[in-house]
Amino acid sequence: MSPDEDVQRLLIQFRDEAGESLGSPFDVPVTITPDKLQLVCNALLQKDEPVPLAFFVHDAEIVVSLEKTLAGQSVETEKVLDIIYQPQAVFRVRAVTRCTSSLEGHTEAVISVAFSPTGKYLASGSGDTTVRFWDLSTETPQFTAKGHRHWVLSIAWSPDGKKLASGCKNSQIFLWDPATGSQIGRVLAGHSKWITWLCWEPLHLNPECRYLASASKDGSIRIWDTLMGRCDKILTSHTQSVTCVKWGGDRLLYSSSQDRTIKVWRSQDGVLCRTLQGHAHWVNTMALSTDYVLRTGAFEPAEATINPQDMSGSLAQLKERAQQRYDQVRGQEPERLVSGSDDFTLFLWRPAEDKKPLERMTGHQALINQVLFSPDTRIIASASFDKSIKLWDGRTGKYLTSLRGHVSAVYQIAWSADSRLLVSGSSDSTLKVWDAKTKKLAIDLPGHADEVYATDWSPDGQRVASGGKDKCLRIWRR
């Protein structure tokens, strides 16, 4: 009798994340490994290029073998066992491990840092009233954009990477050209209190990147026509400061406010569609499941080269590429929205369809600073003053794990383009890189002399940038 014969066998059925079955049920030894499942599943998928896959049984990932995963679960061996397969990113982003540059220039704290959609440019906004552009090929200061007369609180790249918008505490918005560092058009003035957030219209809706939405402490959201340099619409309904505004890929605008609500607007005519209520305190932050694909527009991180490029192609080509990428990430269901609040909770919503939340996500013991969907939309990460980062299921909002290691408040987080790594900046002066798969600390990055307020991971995967109270901008590479 060969040793194989007494191995238990099971009937399994592959299904995708939406529950569609792939092929018909077949029987496998219970000792089957993910590698073997991968071969079988890719054979059934009949793709030219085999895709890396992850496999799950009842929400538990098969890491070593099917047997090991089933050990803690009660399984009826007579029934067909569903195995969910998830395509993973085809490319890998390597973790950053060292600081390659410490860039001085700002004379006050660095409040925001942001890479352009392809990772070609890096911009930072500071309490010294300037926006600075940094040359990434040499990692040196390139342009200092002067014009604001107060702290620069928010910066946002247009999804074509050709313009940067910045908003200040003096309630003015400036537009800058990253290639020259000079101002584009006139100052966008109209808000009566400071600017809290800026967000551009998605590339697949308008490849000219003409419209910009701004949120302000004055309780209004304004939509600006950046070509004409004037305010196109004013959206009023919030009774207190608007903390965040997002421009969704299905022509909806979402705004969160200190009045404890989130409002959903139609971007074409500014009509208020619905108000989402549930939070018991200020809503500080929001994220859309499509944020990353909207941010990167027509740029596909899997095709990134070592030397960052501008996007080439006609407006129609860029629009089509952005539309394809958006449709692929969005899938069949409308965008999901997650909101974080001073009440220590997060809510997951399907704002296009329902004003009731899908899930109330509790566990944080202090207010939530930032929340972000992973680029593949499967995981939500939230950063909090309770020193932890928590990971949640991006579809259901179910709690997955806590990433602990920071010894003080976590301010900002950023995902790598392949959704496998997460970087966090904290008031404990360190950055930390976490592995989303093992859910453990991958690399600790000390170096800053004081609190780290801002951090971003370039969409081409090459660099992480961070800035904070020590006025230095640091660039980290692998």
Side-chain angles (χ1 to χ4, degrees), residues 107-111 448-454 467-472:
T107 54
E108 288 294 333
V110 180
I111 299 172
H448 277 285
D450 212 326
E451 309 191 26
V452 183
Y453 295 141
K469 208 168 171 179
D470 65 4
K471 309 170 196 170
C472 259

Side-chain angles (χ1 to χ4, degrees), residues 149-356:
R149 296 196 295 279
H150 212 318
W151 305 345
V152 179
L153 299 175
S154 174
I155 59 176
W157 284 98
S158 62
D160 63 359
K162 293 194 169 74
K163 302 187 278 275
L164 179 88
S166 59
C168 71
K169 202 166 173 180
N170 221 8
S171 64
Q172 292 181 319
I173 300 163
F174 282 74
L175 304 172
W176 312 97
D177 178 354
T180 61
S182 50
Q183 189 183 337
I184 303 171
R186 61 176 85 154
V187 179
L188 305 177
H191 281 297
S192 58
K193 290 192 180 157
W194 67 75
I195 311 293
T196 54
W197 205 273
L198 295 167
C199 186
W200 290 85
E201 182 176 19
L203 187 73
H204 68 267
L205 298 180
N206 185 351
E208 290 177 348
C209 300
R210 181 170 175 173
Y211 294 98
L212 172 74
S214 62
S216 164
K217 186 157 168 63
D218 65 17
S220 72
I221 299 108
R222 283 179 179 245
I223 298 175
W224 305 88
D225 180 340
T226 60
L227 218 58
M228 306 300 287
R230 62 191 166 106
C231 178
D232 191 51
K233 287 180 197 71
I234 306 176
L235 313 181
T236 54
S237 174
H238 283 298
T239 55
Q240 286 188 44
S241 171
V242 184
T243 52
C244 180
V245 61
K246 295 277 178 189
W247 200 316
D250 298 330
R251 299 183 193 279
L252 289 174
L253 276 167
Y254 309 99
S255 59
S256 61
S257 164
Q258 291 184 350
D259 67 12
R260 311 198 301 271
T261 68
I262 295 148
K263 294 191 184 279
V264 185
W265 316 78
R266 267 209 314 256
S267 63
Q268 305 97 298
D269 48 17
V271 169
L272 178 63
C273 303
R274 56 178 62 88
T275 300
L276 312 179
Q277 288 171 318
H279 282 296
H281 207 311
W282 299 351
V283 188
N284 294 324
T285 173
M286 290 188 299
L288 282 175
S289 53
T290 50
D291 269 342
Y292 204 84
V293 71
L294 295 177
R295 168 193 179 172
T296 47
F299 172 69
E300 177 49 69
E303 293 157 18
T305 50
I306 291 288
N307 297 321
Q309 311 294 324
D310 268 330
M311 289 311 299
S312 55
S314 68
L315 287 183
Q317 286 170 314
L318 292 179
K319 180 179 163 123
E320 188 183 345
R321 238 181 302 168
Q323 183 76 53
Q324 284 169 346
R325 294 190 62 235
Y326 174 74
D327 291 342
Q328 190 182 345
V329 170
R330 179 185 180 275
Q332 299 306 307
E333 297 178 345
E335 298 169 310
R336 299 184 299 288
L337 176 88
V338 63
S339 56
S341 162
D342 268 22
D343 67 8
F344 311 170
T345 69
L346 298 137
F347 275 94
L348 182 64
W349 315 82
R350 245 198 226 119
E353 299 181 326
D354 196 359
K355 61 179 190 199
K356 288 195 194 64

